[in-house]
Amino acid sequence: VYGLRAWETPSASRYGKGSHIRNLLGGIRDEEKVVSILPIARELIENPEGHFLLFATHKGLIKKTSLKEYVKIYRNGKYAIKFKIEGDSLVNVRSGTNDSHIVMISSTGKASRFACSKITDTGRNTSGVWGIRTGARGDGGHVVGMIVTSNYETQIITITKYGQAKRTRVGTAEKIPDLDANGIQRLNEDDSPRFVNDGYRRTKNGAKGITTMKLDENNGDEIVAVRQIPNVQDNLFLLTAKGMMIRVRAEETKFTKNRSTKGNKIMELRDRSKTKFEDQIIFAARIPAELIDEELTSTTNSSEEE
């Protein structure tokens, strides 16, 4: 973990190469790379009690440590997590409280949901516990992303390497009536009312997880990005292996109550004959709606002044 109050880098066009992260973080080693950038409000830094940082690893571990352990971080950084499995690495870091719900999602389309309060907080140089069973111990995949939220209305977008995406509410995990398009409750074969889980079903940390997206060779058979969507007006930037980027609205992805669905295509990555894929998505970033509104307001004001 490295901490800086602020830094400045020159702005560049979308074709620019940018500046190396070592220009900002003097203590970073050759074998290290930046995995997650987590903005923390100054008010939270000044009063961190009851807040935690949660670390998710590639092989399914999760570690919870009090935020106060990271209030003072010098330029050369400090150790934040100890890897106890050979070849493991950090996937992402999120902040939360004991009221938060955690959803860890694997590349094979499995999700494990559990309460933050169920995880014991430990010191900085510790390994954590199982959040979801992956690899040889579980579904054969690896962790792609982790969502931490206390808002049941938050939606989760899962994106495959060949451009399929779907959205699902975190939900309350309670049983609710299964309604059709006309608002009429569906029935089971024995004519009893049918109920479904509201959003992601609760599991225990360390479970193999439940299916969150249906995968096959036509939609990528691998999830490569998971993003938390608090507002459907948010935008997504999608980057491919060949350096292509597009920007789409989160609401353009298919929303479904049923977790085991394919979603819809949000980026065309096939060749002209549409017989084979010639590129794949490697990264996705969320742009909050409020930043988009500010951008439009700024552009409008500039045009009026001219």
Side-chain angles (χ1 to χ4, degrees), residues 36 38 52-55 92-96 146 148 227-228:
S36 185
L38 183 64
F52 305 92
L53 289 188
L54 296 136
F55 301 79
N92 64 353
V93 184
R94 294 289 182 263
S95 62
M146 172 180 65
V148 179
R227 290 295 175 266
Q228 182 169 320

Side-chain angles (χ1 to χ4, degrees), residues 88-237:
D88 205 359
S89 59
L90 193 62
V91 173
N92 64 353
V93 184
R94 294 289 182 263
S95 62
T97 69
N98 278 331
D99 292 328
S100 300
H101 292 261
I102 300 169
V103 182
M104 296 181 72
I105 296 177
S106 74
S107 58
T108 54
K110 298 292 185 180
S112 176
R113 174 185 180 171
F114 47 92
C116 182
S117 59
K118 298 296 184 180
I119 305 296
T120 302
D121 60 296
T122 58
R124 288 188 297 105
N125 199 17
T126 54
S127 303
V129 297
W130 287 108
I132 183 172
R133 296 278 175 173
T134 59
R137 298 174 177 83
D139 61 1
H142 62 269
V143 173
V144 176
M146 172 180 65
I147 303 300
V148 179
T149 182
S150 57
N151 182 1
Y152 293 142
E153 298 303 320
T154 295
Q155 297 181 10
I156 298 175
I157 284 184
T158 50
I159 302 170
T160 72
K161 66 179 180 181
Y162 289 154
Q164 291 284 127
K166 56 155 288 195
R167 281 183 293 125
T168 305
R169 284 175 66 250
V170 171
T172 63
E174 305 296 337
K175 291 289 186 180
I176 59 173
D178 184 11
L179 306 179
D180 62 19
N182 297 317
I184 300 174
Q185 187 170 5
R186 295 185 175 92
L187 302 177
N188 295 311
E189 293 182 357
D190 61 357
D191 290 333
S192 62
R194 182 185 299 178
F195 293 85
V196 295
N197 282 299
D198 180 26
Y200 283 80
R201 179 167 61 84
R202 288 189 180 92
T203 62
K204 293 182 179 180
N205 64 285
K208 291 183 178 180
I210 56 175
T211 300
T212 185
M213 189 173 189
K214 189 174 182 180
L215 303 174
D216 57 43
E217 60 182 9
N218 294 320
N219 71 350
D221 66 20
E222 180 184 3
I223 294 176
V224 296
V226 176
R227 290 295 175 266
Q228 182 169 320
I229 305 296
N231 185 341
V232 293
Q233 300 302 316
D234 293 346
N235 279 205
L236 294 170
F237 280 110

